Amino acid sequence: MNVLSSIKNKFMRVPPDYEQLSARLGTFAPFDAARARIFRYRKQYGVNLGSMFCLEPWIATIIYDEYAEHNPEAEGDLVECMGQCSAEKMQAHWATWLQRADFEHMASMGINAVRLPVGYWILGHGFAAEKYHSHAKTYNRALYYVGRIIAWADEFDIGVLVDIHA
């Protein structure tokens, strides 16, 4: 047993199906090393895509407003407040927070890089811990939306830094 397998077995509650996780991201153009070097070393003009996947009340105020009486401080608290509706409400958020036109607009302004903060819990079962474990199903479609963001950014030559934010 290699070290990675040992760590995976120790810390993951349910062994994930990596092929299934990868399939949820969607398909992308083949890796192009020359293009990757250009993206890596060009001068970066970037923005943060906050609250797409790590919802924070000072950015995504509208989605938090509905649960103001419970005073959710972070996404985990918010998902707890949503209860059985959490998957539906989170998917509605992911589907509408950013659109292809936003990437077209960013590119027209000279933006060539974005930071996409994500939480480890978007990987779902096997990765979701603590309060996210009971809501792992909420995040079953999250990787689809990560893939959609990456594909739109790629279409407009915008690099994406996926940041494990939490």
Side-chain angles (χ1 to χ4, degrees), residues 18-27:
Y18 292 103
E19 289 180 15
Q20 192 266 347
L21 283 175
S22 179
R24 287 179 12 212
L25 272 170
T27 58

Side-chain angles (χ1 to χ4, degrees), residues 77-107:
D77 303 322
L78 181 66
V79 170
E80 286 283 322
C81 291
M82 290 177 177
Q84 298 296 323
C85 302
S86 63
E88 177 185 332
K89 290 186 180 220
M90 293 301 284
Q91 285 182 47
H93 170 74
W94 300 326
T96 58
W97 189 250
L98 290 169
Q99 299 298 309
R100 182 185 174 279
D102 296 315
F103 288 88
E104 184 175 23
H105 182 69
M106 285 186 266

Side-chain angles (χ1 to χ4, degrees), residues 16 18 78 84 107 114 126-127 136 140 154 159 162 165:
Y18 292 103
L78 181 66
Q84 298 296 323
V114 295
F127 292 93
N140 280 347
D154 182 60
V162 178
H165 187 60

Side-chain angles (χ1 to χ4, degrees), residues 4-72:
L4 183 59
S5 293
S6 173
I7 292 169
K8 180 181 77 170
N9 292 337
K10 182 174 182 178
F11 293 106
M12 292 184 181
R13 296 174 191 221
V14 178
D17 178 347
Y18 292 103
E19 289 180 15
Q20 192 266 347
L21 283 175
S22 179
R24 287 179 12 212
L25 272 170
T27 58
F28 300 98
F31 178 73
D32 179 341
R35 186 169 186 242
R37 276 192 298 281
I38 291 169
F39 274 52
R40 184 176 300 125
Y41 296 113
R42 69 184 175 183
K43 186 167 185 166
Q44 305 293 325
Y45 298 95
V47 295
N48 178 41
L49 303 181
S51 275
M52 175 76 180
F53 297 104
C54 279
L55 277 74
E56 296 172 305
W58 54 89
I59 300 174
T61 56
I62 294 172
I63 198 166
Y64 277 86
D65 286 347
E66 185 177 343
Y67 304 97
E69 71 276 4
H70 301 290
N71 197 30

